């Protein structure tokens, strides 16, 4: 009989201990949610920083491209002015008229390329600044809600 009482008592103790460990406190759940949010925010920050680095690496290339196209447009405009002044000297010359027209078309195309390159550079700078602001905003949020991972023993 004593063994039977002992087995019943130990079964009750075992069941209550299992039920007690199965229940997770509300604080624990809240803490886990907060940790999850912090980790997600950290991942977003890292992704944004990687994207920012890629954009900053292309900034130099875009700047050189813009300068090059601007120089090409300036040269084409000078050639156009030269051809126009030659045509001005002999307005009846068909060959000079064709050269002047071609120089004008080239100058127009080069100016269009220069504007496109300048717009592309401006857009890139705008994207970089926007990304920097997002990173700063997310880092502020993370500072308010830091990742607090408990040490398991």
């Amino acid at each position: 009989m004593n063994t039977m009482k002992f087995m019943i008592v130990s079964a009750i103790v075992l069941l209550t201990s299992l039920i007690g460990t199965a229940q997770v406190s509300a604080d624990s759940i809240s803490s886990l949610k907060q940790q999850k949010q912090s980790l997600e925010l950290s991942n977003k920050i890292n992704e944004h920083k990687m994207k920012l680095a890629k954009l900053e690496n292309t900034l130099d290339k875009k700047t050189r491209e813009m300068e090059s196209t601007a120089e090409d447009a300036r040269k084409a405009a000078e050639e156009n002015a030269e051809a126009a002044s030659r045509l001005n000297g002999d307005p009846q010359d068909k060959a000079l008229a064709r050269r002047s027209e071609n120089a004008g078309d080239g100058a127009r195309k080069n100016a269009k390329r220069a504007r496109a390159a300048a717009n592309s550079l401006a857009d890139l700078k705008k994207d970089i600044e926007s990304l920097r602001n997002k990173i700063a905003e997310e880092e502020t949020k993370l500072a308010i809600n830091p990742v607090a991972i408990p040490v398991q023993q």
Side-chain angles (χ1 to χ4, degrees), residues 3 7 18 20 30 50 55 67 75 78 94 99 102 111 114-116 120 124 127 130 133 138:
T3 45
M7 289 185 69
L18 288 176
S30 173
M50 287 173 41
L55 290 177
E67 290 170 351
K75 287 179 183 176
E78 286 177 2
K94 191 174 182 178
R99 286 186 196 129
N102 289 342
R115 284 191 308 274
S120 177
L124 180 64
D127 290 345
S130 172
N133 290 339
E138 289 170 353

Side-chain angles (χ1 to χ4, degrees), residues 8 12 41 59 63 86 88 91 107 117 149:
I8 292 174
I12 292 173
L41 192 56
L59 183 64
T63 302
R86 275 190 252 130
N88 197 23
I149 300 174

Side-chain angles (χ1 to χ4, degrees), residues 1-59:
M1 200 58 147
N2 282 340
T3 45
M4 185 69 140
K5 286 182 183 179
F6 178 73
M7 289 185 69
I8 292 174
V9 170
S10 50
I12 292 173
V13 169
L14 181 64
L15 285 174
T16 56
S17 68
L18 288 176
I19 292 172
T21 58
Q23 293 177 348
V24 179
S25 69
D27 290 340
S28 179
I29 291 173
S30 173
S31 175
L32 290 173
K33 283 182 182 178
Q34 184 180 12
Q35 289 174 12
K36 180 182 175 188
Q37 290 172 347
S38 295
L39 289 173
E40 288 172 353
L41 192 56
S42 293
N43 285 339
K44 270 173 103 176
I45 291 171
N46 287 337
E47 288 173 8
H48 287 321
K49 284 184 177 182
M50 287 173 41
K51 187 176 179 182
L52 178 63
K54 287 179 184 177
L55 290 177
E56 287 177 339
N57 287 338
T58 61
L59 183 64

